[in-house]
Amino acid sequence: MNDTAPTAVSEPPPVAKSGIEDVSDAMALPPNVTRSDRLGKISSFVQTVGFAFAIVALQMTQGILLARLLGPEGRGQYATTVLYVQLLLYVGLFGGLEVICRYAAEGKTDILRLRRAAMWLGITTGTITTLLAVAFNVLALPDEKRFLMPLGCLCAISIIGQHVMLIMTAVDRGAGKFAAYNMLRFIAAAVFPVLLLIAAILTEVTLTLACTLFVVSSLISMAACMHGIQKPLRGESEPPVGQLLRESRPYGIAMLATDLFERLDLLMAMWLIPLVTQGFYAAMVPVVYPLTVIPNTLGIFLFNAGADDKRTLTTRDVHRILGGSIAIQTVSTIAFMLLVGPLVNLVYGEEFAPAVRFALWLAPVSAIKGILQGLDSYVKGRGRPLAPIRCRIVASIVMIAVVAALLPSQGAVAIAMAALVGQVICLIWLSAIVYTDVSQSKNSSG
């Protein structure tokens, strides 16, 4: 909770940025701004970074509650019921979040009408993606996990609420209203763990109850975004949904390749390993997520650097940025790996001790993923959202091959190993793309 005639679009819409990257536009200051304006932009940046860490903390709390309340097998069952929701959530936005963000940033459309358009776009993409998720749950679950199909279909309903929330908050993000944007994101992240905690106090939390609360939390998040909008269903909206969908296609394609790659290990875990082991694997995913937050701040600077026609990065800049990021991530990952065993036993309980082996492999996966997010921001800032697609396709194929080769001898940990191999391939490939782009920019300017 952890988004009518065609018009010519001369440029693709801006890239979807992560929670921290969203402040990149706020940090792009013209030289003639006043001191108070500059301080206001910096304040928005600091606030957004703080909220990003708070949201990570909420996601970790949610993961701990689910593991504690459901146990390893129940956690694996829950991971199965929400897998296709996670897999399709951002893919199913079809790039709509970026388009709405662009319209809000341009300031040429009435904000109230744009909010209504964002709501209708979220309902449209959410409904389509919900139907796809239901179809996947009906047709594409392993035989031994098909008894979870009804709950998977129930969880699919949450996509509508999540899409409305994601796309409507893009209005505030594009308009630079970071206070409202941060608060709505925080509410969306907090609702589910709060409902879980209340339910745990009042009754026994079963898998069915957890899935129901998951759906309810998405609807509450949607309602929070719609609060205060006059005539949300009957008022005029602009631009038309059809136009928004057509304009969003380039980034929808890029998101398809990226998100399928990022979720491939979870998909293989569902198909290839038992529920208890899948529960161990899924429980460690939020544990390692904080390792992405620090390098993700690279996106703040690299997206702006890529989008700035007046200044481009030099090869020396890339050396410094990439070298510093790898150094920071290496130190952070080593420290994490030393502490994760005792922390998992303390927070999750001794029954999750077997999950530590997954965390040890997923830690470097998460660390590299954070660096990739920064490199992605630069490439997309350069207006090349489709450039990383080929490397993600190749990395996905290699991951499948590694799992096929190692699963018989290494067991379920082979999936985490394959995820690490895939991330390394993308890191090398994306670094080469950035270096090539910097070199070409230098030659063209020279």
Side-chain angles (χ1 to χ4, degrees), residues 87-332:
L87 187 68
L88 297 171
L89 180 63
Y90 285 94
V91 173
L93 288 168
F94 304 124
L97 187 150
E98 295 86 1
V99 169
I100 290 294
C101 185
R102 185 197 68 189
Y103 274 102
E106 289 175 345
K108 299 176 182 178
T109 306
D110 177 76
I111 286 294
L112 181 57
R113 293 185 179 185
L114 184 61
R115 288 189 191 279
R116 295 194 191 106
M119 179 198 69
W120 284 115
L121 180 60
I123 292 173
T124 302
T125 61
T127 300
I128 295 171
T129 310
T130 295
L131 295 175
L132 289 174
V134 169
F136 274 105
N137 275 287
V138 172
L139 302 174
L141 283 178
D143 289 340
E144 67 274 15
K145 298 176 183 179
R146 285 193 62 79
F147 71 96
L148 296 168
M149 183 260 291
L151 290 178
C153 294
L154 171 64
C155 290
I157 299 173
S158 70
I159 295 176
I160 297 175
Q162 293 188 72
H163 272 205
V164 172
M165 181 274 295
L166 287 167
I167 295 179
M168 290 191 72
T169 54
V171 177
D172 291 316
R173 187 179 76 184
K177 298 180 179 180
F178 290 104
Y181 171 69
N182 289 326
M183 185 55 63
L184 288 172
R185 285 194 312 137
F186 183 81
I187 291 172
V191 174
F192 186 38
V194 168
L195 290 179
L196 279 176
L197 186 58
I198 294 172
I201 294 172
L202 299 177
T203 186
E204 178 184 359
V205 177
T206 63
L207 177 64
T208 300
L209 179 57
C211 293
T212 302
L213 294 178
F214 177 64
V215 175
V216 171
S217 65
S218 72
L219 298 178
I220 293 174
S221 301
M222 178 177 70
C225 293
M226 295 174 62
H227 177 71
I229 299 179
Q230 300 175 357
K231 300 179 180 179
L233 299 177
R234 294 182 291 109
E236 294 184 8
S237 62
E238 182 186 3
V241 170
Q243 175 182 325
L244 294 171
L245 288 173
R246 282 187 288 273
E247 294 180 8
S248 67
R249 278 180 292 188
Y251 283 89
I253 295 171
M255 181 60 71
L256 175 64
T258 299
D259 230 48
L260 289 180
F261 168 70
E262 297 292 352
R263 306 287 184 184
L264 182 58
D265 63 325
L266 294 174
L267 185 63
M268 289 192 291
M270 183 188 74
W271 275 95
L272 300 176
I273 61 180
L275 279 170
V276 173
T277 311
Q278 184 186 356
F280 290 144
Y281 193 102
M284 293 302 99
V285 172
V287 171
V288 301
Y289 184 73
L291 288 170
T292 67
V293 175
I294 294 176
N296 201 10
T297 56
L298 277 173
I300 299 169
F301 308 102
L302 294 182
F303 184 84
N304 277 354
D308 190 352
D309 294 331
K310 299 178 182 178
R311 180 185 179 276
T312 59
L313 293 181
T314 65
T315 302
R316 185 175 180 179
D317 290 332
V318 179
H319 287 336
R320 184 173 62 252
I321 292 168
L322 194 56
S325 299
I326 292 174
I328 291 172
Q329 289 302 85
T330 300
V331 172
S332 301

Side-chain angles (χ1 to χ4, degrees), residues 439-446:
S439 177
Q440 290 176 346
S441 298
K442 180 180 178 181
N443 292 336
S444 62
S445 62

Side-chain angles (χ1 to χ4, degrees), residues 1 21 26 41-42 48 110 128 173 181 196 226 228 263 268 286 296 339 344 361 376 389 408:
M1 303 277 303
E21 293 171 325
K41 299 292 185 181
I42 294 174
T48 302
D110 177 76
I128 295 171
R173 187 179 76 184
Y181 171 69
L196 279 176
M226 295 174 62
R263 306 287 184 184
M268 289 192 291
N296 201 10
L339 296 173
V344 168
W361 282 98
D376 257 335
I389 287 181

